[in-house]
């Protein structure tokens, strides 16, 4: 995994996603740092995990487009996203969350694949 991908994954993994719908604040927020008046009931784990997965996909779309050696499963795992199904198999939904045409990632912000 590239150094840039490792850094993005570390930030995604480090962030507390349990109160993401209620706050917009600095990277690496931790609820134990909150003043009592700013605390919220955390999201249930499945909802926080969905937010983490969506953030991972947004970043992975750009990384995949720019890095021909990008491995979305490696990146997802490093981001703290569970990449297996309940039966222990690889969750193909991880790769299906990205916009691609065959092996080529769509240009970020579009559904277009570069020619050539």
């Amino acid at each position: 995994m590239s150094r840039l991908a490792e850094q993005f994954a570390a930030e995604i993994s480090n962030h507390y996603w349990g109160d993401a719908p209620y706050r917009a604040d600095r990277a690496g927020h931790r609820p134990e740092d909150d003043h009592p008046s700013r605390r919220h009931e955390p999201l249930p784990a499945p909802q926080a995990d969905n937010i983490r997965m969506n953030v991972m996909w947004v970043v992975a779309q750009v990384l995949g487009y720019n890095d021909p050696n990008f491995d979305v499963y490696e990146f997802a795992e490093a981001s703290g996203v569970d990449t297996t199904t309940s039966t222990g198999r690889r969750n193909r939904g991880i790769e299906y969350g990205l916009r691609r045409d065959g092996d080529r990632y769509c240009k970020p912000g579009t559904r277009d694949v570069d020619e050539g």
Side-chain angles (χ1 to χ4, degrees):
M1 186 164 31
S2 73
R3 193 176 96 179
L4 186 59
E6 286 178 7
Q7 292 172 357
F8 277 125
E11 279 298 316
I12 293 167
S13 180
N14 184 55
H15 195 79
Y16 174 70
W17 297 101
D19 63 3
Y22 316 116
R23 331 176 40 109
D25 61 354
R26 68 193 190 305
H29 163 73
R30 291 283 177 215
E32 58 269 15
D33 297 335
D34 284 348
H35 185 275
S37 67
R38 295 209 50 194
R39 292 195 177 128
H40 296 90
E41 188 65 32
L43 289 174
Q47 290 177 342
D49 291 343
N50 284 342
I51 292 171
R52 178 184 297 107
M53 184 174 294
N54 278 293
V55 169
M56 180 277 302
W57 274 325
V58 167
V59 176
Q61 186 70 41
V62 176
L63 290 171
Y65 176 78
N66 286 286
D67 180 356
N69 299 312
F70 181 71
D71 181 327
V72 68
Y73 289 97
E74 181 182 33
F75 180 70
E77 288 170 9
S79 297
V81 171
D82 185 1
T83 60
T84 59
T85 65
S86 60
T87 61
R89 294 180 181 205
R90 179 175 263 191
N91 181 353
R92 299 292 304 265
I94 298 295
E95 62 190 274
Y96 296 150
L98 298 168
R99 294 183 318 279
R100 295 169 55 162
D101 184 1
D103 291 337
R104 296 170 49 203
Y105 287 85
C106 293
K107 185 176 180 180
T110 75
R111 297 196 176 277
D112 303 328
V113 176
D114 287 340
E115 298 299 320

